[in-house]
Amino acid sequence: MNVKTPFKGCRLKKEYATPLTDAADDEKYVFLNSLCDWLEMWDSMKNSTGKLTKETFAALKHTTHAMVELTSYCINELKLKYVLPGKFQTDNLEARFGKYRQLAGAQYNISVRQMFECEKKLRMMSVLHQGSINLKNLGETNWEGLENQDNLRVEDLGLLDVTREDTEKCKDVLAVITYLAGYCCYAVCKKMKCLFCKDIVTCTDLADTLPENHSYIQGLSRGSLLYPDDITTNIVMYNYIIINKLAKNPLFIHSMNQRNLATELTLNALAEDDALFHSDVCGGGHSTEKVEKMIIWASTNALLNNFCARENNSIVANKDVQKNRKLKTLMK
């Protein structure tokens, strides 16, 4: 019921994620018909326990039966090849009315006048982008500090070395780093669209020849995930170590060009050992340096997003702790 694209089933390797048809051999259509009959039998039982409420039964039967009839109508009358059930939803409409209620004072029942006023506010916000600018503190912004942050260079942070102790600490998360390296290979191959580059940064996906650090990918893959080679995994591991060190530096946290800094520092750390770079030449004319930088760029994006998510979670957790402490104080 959540299928919104015709190729979702191919991507996820799931039969029930493919578009819906009314063919006799379509497992999804047969399942919906069987579900309708089963709901009728369940509702007709005389038991007073172990059943849904009358309203829930009616809603579930109505929705299931409507999807069966809708599929038959679209294919037989409208001559469509398939139906995407996920398109039949009112999420956008509900989200719009939710904004109306919030702008009207967080009340459920709003008047027609309030709805028109809220619509004007929403249109003004979409034109002026007020959500990204704090007009009250505009005059208090320290623009000089922002310029210094934007001009932060690699030399200001110094050269970050990756020691043997750093790599030893990554053993516990090596499987996850390998999975991230596989995603970086996918990002590079998707953008470059070069089979030669794919052969350079990936290895075979045969289970008999896979090392232990590929076990996490093997458990999640349905046949489409990429397995990175050792050099690609080492590049992402170096990037992981560098970003963990940079996360402790206040200059880096408050800088405005974090991705560029992390990428350059990782390249500098890798430059000390030629064995950490791919030596093969791409048959499609792409330089290996460009491929390496694209791998580090994709890895940096993922790691920085994860770092921001962890920091936000810690801030929310601290707020919850303070809130609970205040509640305990008031209860006393």
Side-chain angles (χ1 to χ4, degrees), residues 41-55:
M41 294 175 59
W42 189 15
D43 193 16
S44 62
M45 295 176 64
K46 298 181 180 180
N47 297 8
S48 59
T49 59
K51 297 176 62 176
L52 302 175
T53 62
K54 181 178 179 181
E55 294 77 13

Side-chain angles (χ1 to χ4, degrees), residues 9-32:
C10 298
R11 179 169 55 86
L12 299 180
K13 308 293 183 183
K14 288 184 178 180
E15 178 63 26
Y16 280 84
T18 56
L20 187 61
T21 64
D22 65 342
D25 57 346
D26 192 339
E27 297 181 7
K28 304 175 295 300
Y29 191 74
V30 174
F31 171 79
L32 290 176

Side-chain angles (χ1 to χ4, degrees), residues 150-162 235 238-243 246 252 255 257-272 277 289-290 292-301 303-304:
D150 191 26
N151 294 329
L152 186 65
R153 298 173 299 176
V154 176
E155 293 77 8
D156 299 331
L157 296 173
L159 180 62
L160 298 180
D161 297 328
V162 178
I235 291 174
Y238 267 61
N239 187 231
Y240 171 79
I241 295 172
I242 293 295
I243 290 180
L246 290 174
F252 175 78
S255 65
N257 54 343
Q258 295 175 344
R259 289 186 297 179
N260 292 331
L261 292 173
T263 302
E264 292 298 327
L265 289 171
T266 304
L267 288 172
N268 293 339
L270 291 169
E272 298 181 1
F277 286 91
E289 292 80 5
K290 181 180 180 180
E292 309 284 358
K293 192 169 184 179
M294 291 177 64
I295 292 174
I296 298 174
W297 187 263
S299 173
T300 302
N301 277 337
L303 293 173
L304 288 179

Side-chain angles (χ1 to χ4, degrees), residues 175 178 210-220 227:
T178 307
L210 289 176
E212 184 179 355
N213 58 318
H214 287 106
S215 58
Y216 187 67
I217 301 179
Q218 189 176 1
L220 294 177
Y227 293 85

